[in-house]
Amino acid sequence: MNNPARIRRVSTLLKLACDAYLLVAPLLLAAIWLNFEQLGPQWQTLSQLPIQPQYVGLTNKLLGALITAIPLALLMYGVWRLRKLFEQFRQGQLFSESGADHLHAFAWMLLITMLMAPVVSALLSLVLTMNYPPGEKALVISLGSNDFGQLFIAGALFAITWTLREGYRLSQENEAFV
């Protein structure tokens, strides 16, 4: 199999993976908040909190869902842009300004959601423990190795984006000389 066919096949699979993420991620988030008593304490985002479900009411869950929806929406936007990039690759458009823009937007969404992680965890801890008895409320700020991995990936994607843009610019210059 030649490289263009491989690129088309892998890009199709990655585009489908993006589609699946865009469909499943909000459903999973909704499922967690709708079944909070069972799923909430097992969710990695909340694993550091001393969750006492008897004190977590509907208001807490709605506020928690809103807080977690913000980074999810940003990441979904990034994945949607990544999906557009894979669609371009699938169509054989390997080097383009718009392709670099799509990858750049995805890298920004990764970076922003990583930087938001400590704020989100702090807000969630406040919201989910606000009904606890005095002395049992918690403020938890967490930053894990996954967050640093996300930072590394975002940085690598920025470098790749700049390289793609430079390659596209050089190819345009070469076409102008021919």
Side-chain angles (χ1 to χ4, degrees):
M1 177 179 290
N2 59 16
N3 283 336
R6 281 188 193 129
I7 291 169
R8 226 179 354 269
R9 184 176 352 134
V10 170
S11 296
T12 299
L13 291 174
L14 290 171
K15 180 180 167 277
L16 290 172
C18 290
D19 289 340
Y21 177 85
L22 292 170
L23 199 66
V24 172
L27 295 175
L28 284 176
L29 187 66
I32 288 169
W33 288 106
L34 290 172
N35 299 301
F36 183 78
E37 289 74 20
Q38 292 79 31
L39 300 177
Q42 298 171 16
W43 187 21
Q44 181 186 5
T45 303
L46 303 177
S47 64
Q48 303 298 318
L49 284 177
I51 294 177
Q52 299 176 31
Q54 69 270 23
Y55 294 116
V56 179
L58 181 60
T59 303
N60 305 91
K61 292 175 193 176
L62 288 173
L63 288 172
L66 285 173
I67 290 167
T68 54
I70 294 168
L72 177 64
L74 291 172
L75 198 52
M76 286 180 66
Y77 172 73
V79 171
W80 177 71
R81 294 290 298 266
L82 196 60
R83 179 194 181 282
K84 292 176 77 141
L85 173 68
F86 291 130
E87 178 60 25
Q88 284 185 335
F89 288 173
R90 196 179 70 74
Q91 295 175 1
Q93 300 170 19
L94 303 181
F95 296 104
S96 68
E97 186 71 27
S98 64
D101 289 345
H102 293 316
L103 188 59
H104 193 80
F106 177 70
W108 268 113
M109 294 306 104
L110 275 179
L111 180 63
I112 291 168
T113 57
M114 180 269 155
L115 295 174
M116 286 178 67
V119 175
V120 168
S121 69
L123 288 173
L124 279 175
S125 67
L126 289 174
V127 163
L128 293 176
T129 64
M130 69 185 188
N131 295 338
Y132 285 24
E136 293 186 34
K137 297 177 187 201
L139 173 63
V140 176
I141 298 174
S142 66
L143 194 60
S145 60
N146 287 344
D147 298 316
F148 290 112
Q150 194 171 333
L151 180 63
F152 174 75
I153 292 169
L157 291 175
F158 281 126
I160 292 167
T161 298
W162 294 323
T163 303
L164 286 174
R165 284 190 173 133
E166 185 62 15
Y168 178 72
R169 185 188 66 78
L170 290 173
S171 73
Q172 294 301 306
E173 280 181 15
N174 288 338
E175 283 183 25
F177 285 120
V178 175

